[in-house]
């Protein structure tokens, strides 16, 4: 075992032990003691499994992140070119990427905020701010997943080049989608200021939740972009899943209005619930992400598992990409 590998494994195990210690001593005053105990036991068990998996398959899990880091300058350059190329030749250029989501927010506000006021969630927060804070991360996820899934198909001429690192193609698409997301985060902040919710120390969490969404969609795309090469219908399945997912995620409705705890638990299995609620907490909720400790841990466990699974699928299938494309 190399020295660098030993160091990485040691650091990971130490971090896992620290996290296990935080879980054991973490107490939520308003929670049921029995439920908290079950959560702690399950969480510690997951950490033990994660340590075993990381040590056992260390080489397979680290190949992809290392490749991305080594090609970071090329990734940034290609992402900027991809963004510019997408709207080349049109009079308004990148403005078109911003018009459609703005119109969508306006239409939802008119329908649910004006014509159907009873459908609005309860609370003192203005509905347009509640709606915008939910739609901004959803637009990012929607565009990044669709573009990342089709990255290999769009750049098939690069896939056929032997010397090109095709593992960087999905992240190029996601970074290009991030440029538009930054614009909409600025719009969200303007809307918040208009209603009297000025930026404060909690607002910096928007960066954290954007990073969460970036890694989560990247983890998904390494699986979807590899499978879609062999199964083209996956793109249509993803579009249908996104339509369903928008209503299964608390974007137009508030999860706190649901009284059945079983249904709430099932809905929170969707990792996007953590991100959408996080954006709202960062803008007007005045709550830190670590205050909801178990939701944060659940999100990152799911994301890491999906990333590891995606990296494995991508590695197994990439030797056949050139032949199929």
């Amino acid at each position: 075992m190399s020295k660098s590998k030993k160091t990485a494994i040691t650091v990971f195990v130490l971090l896992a032990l620290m996290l296990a210690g935080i879980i054991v001593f973490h107490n939520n005053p308003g929670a049921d003691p029995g439920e908290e105990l079950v959560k702690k036991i399950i969480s510690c068990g997951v950490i033990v499994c994660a340590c075993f998996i990381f040590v056992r398959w260390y080489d397979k899990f680290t190949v992809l992140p290392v490749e991305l880091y080594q090609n970071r300058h090329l990734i940034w350059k290609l992402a900027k070119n991809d963004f510019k190329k997408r709207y080349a030749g049109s009079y308004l250029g990148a403005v078109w990427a911003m018009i459609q989501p703005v119109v969508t927010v306006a239409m939802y506000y008119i329908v649910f905020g004006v014509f159907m006021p009873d459908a609005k969630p309860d609370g003192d927060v203005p509905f347009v701010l509640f709606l915008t804070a939910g739609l901004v991360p959803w637009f990012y996820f929607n565009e990044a997943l669709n573009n990342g899934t089709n990255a290999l198909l769009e750049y098939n001429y690069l896939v056929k080049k032997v010397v090109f690192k095709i593992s960087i193609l999905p992240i190029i698409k996601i970074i290009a989608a991030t440029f538009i997301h930054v614009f909409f985060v600025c719009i969200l902040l303007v809307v918040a200021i208009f209603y009297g919710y000025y930026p404060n120390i909690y607002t910096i969490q928007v960066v954290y939740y954007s990073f969460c969404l970036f890694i989560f969609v990247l983890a998904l795309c390494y699986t979807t972009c590899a499978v879609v090469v062999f199964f083209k219908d996956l793109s249509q399945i993803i579009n249908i899943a996104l339509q369903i997912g928008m209503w299964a995620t608390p974007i137009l409705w508030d999860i706190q209005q649901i009284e059945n705890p079983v249904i709430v638990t099932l809905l929170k299995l969707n990792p996007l619930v953590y991100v959408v609620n996080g954006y709202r907490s960062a803008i007007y909720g005045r709550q830190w992400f670590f205050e909801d400790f178990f939701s944060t841990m659940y999100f990152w466990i799911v994301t890491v598992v999906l990333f590891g699974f995606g990296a494995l699928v991508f590695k197994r299938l990439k030797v056949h990409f050139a032949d199929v494309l």
Side-chain angles (χ1 to χ4, degrees), residues 9 43 55 60 76-77 129 166 240 268 278 280 292:
I9 292 175
S43 300
V55 174
K60 294 181 179 180
W76 178 249
K77 182 179 179 179
L129 179 57
I166 60 176
I240 295 174
K268 285 186 175 181
R280 289 174 175 148
D292 193 358

Side-chain angles (χ1 to χ4, degrees), residues 153 160 228-232 317 319-325:
L153 299 178
K160 297 176 183 179
V228 79
V229 173
F230 306 92
F231 182 61
K232 300 295 191 301
L317 296 180
V319 294
H320 305 290
F321 290 159
D323 297 331
V324 177
L325 294 173

Side-chain angles (χ1 to χ4, degrees), residues 79-298:
K80 291 190 293 184
N81 291 338
D82 181 90
F83 180 74
K84 295 176 182 178
K85 182 184 68 175
R86 193 182 311 176
Y87 306 101
S90 61
Y91 288 107
L92 295 180
V95 176
W96 287 114
M98 306 169 188
I99 291 177
Q100 182 178 356
V102 170
V103 172
T104 303
V105 173
M107 291 304 300
Y108 277 126
Y109 172 69
I110 292 172
V111 172
F112 292 98
V114 178
F115 296 117
M116 299 175 60
D118 294 336
K120 296 191 300 182
D122 299 330
D124 298 329
V125 179
F127 180 65
V128 65
L129 179 57
F130 174 89
L131 179 63
T132 306
L135 285 175
V136 165
W138 178 259
F139 286 147
Y140 180 35
F141 175 75
N142 193 326
E143 181 180 6
L145 182 59
N146 275 315
N147 294 342
T149 297
N150 296 312
L152 299 181
L153 299 178
E154 182 175 342
Y155 287 103
N156 60 79
Y157 58 92
L158 293 177
V159 175
K160 297 176 183 179
K161 291 187 176 182
V162 180
V163 296
F164 189 81
K165 293 290 186 181
I166 60 176
S167 59
I168 71 174
L169 294 177
I171 196 173
I172 289 172
K173 286 294 188 179
I174 298 174
I175 293 176
T178 305
F179 296 148
I180 300 296
H181 179 63
V182 171
F183 167 78
F184 279 107
V185 168
C186 294
I187 295 296
L188 174 59
L189 294 176
V190 171
V191 172
I193 292 173
F194 180 79
Y195 284 102
Y197 293 88
Y198 296 95
N200 52 61
I201 188 64
Y202 295 96
T203 309
I204 61 175
Q205 293 182 109
V206 171
V207 178
Y208 164 74
Y209 286 110
S210 297
F211 176 75
C212 289
L213 197 52
F214 180 91
I215 299 298
F216 178 69
V217 73
L218 180 64
L220 288 176
C221 284
Y222 274 111
T223 299
T224 58
C225 76
V227 175
V228 79
V229 173
F230 306 92
F231 182 61
K232 300 295 191 301
D233 292 343
L234 181 61
S235 296
Q236 304 304 323
I237 295 174
I238 289 176
N239 288 329
I240 295 174
L242 286 172
Q243 293 179 8
I244 299 173
M246 182 173 180
W247 296 99
T249 305
I251 297 172
L252 301 173
W253 49 275
D254 191 352
I255 196 172
Q256 295 181 355
Q257 292 182 292
I258 300 177
E259 298 179 355
N260 191 322
V262 177
I263 296 178
V264 171
T265 301
L266 292 175
L267 289 172
K268 285 186 175 181
L269 293 177
N270 175 7
L272 292 176
V273 174
Y274 172 75
V275 176
V276 170
N277 287 338
Y279 270 74
R280 289 174 175 148
S281 297
I283 298 299
Y284 59 78
R286 306 298 188 264
Q287 181 181 4
W288 291 108
F289 70 91
F290 51 78
E291 293 182 36
D292 193 358
F293 180 79
F294 288 107
S295 294
T296 300
M297 182 179 173
Y298 169 76

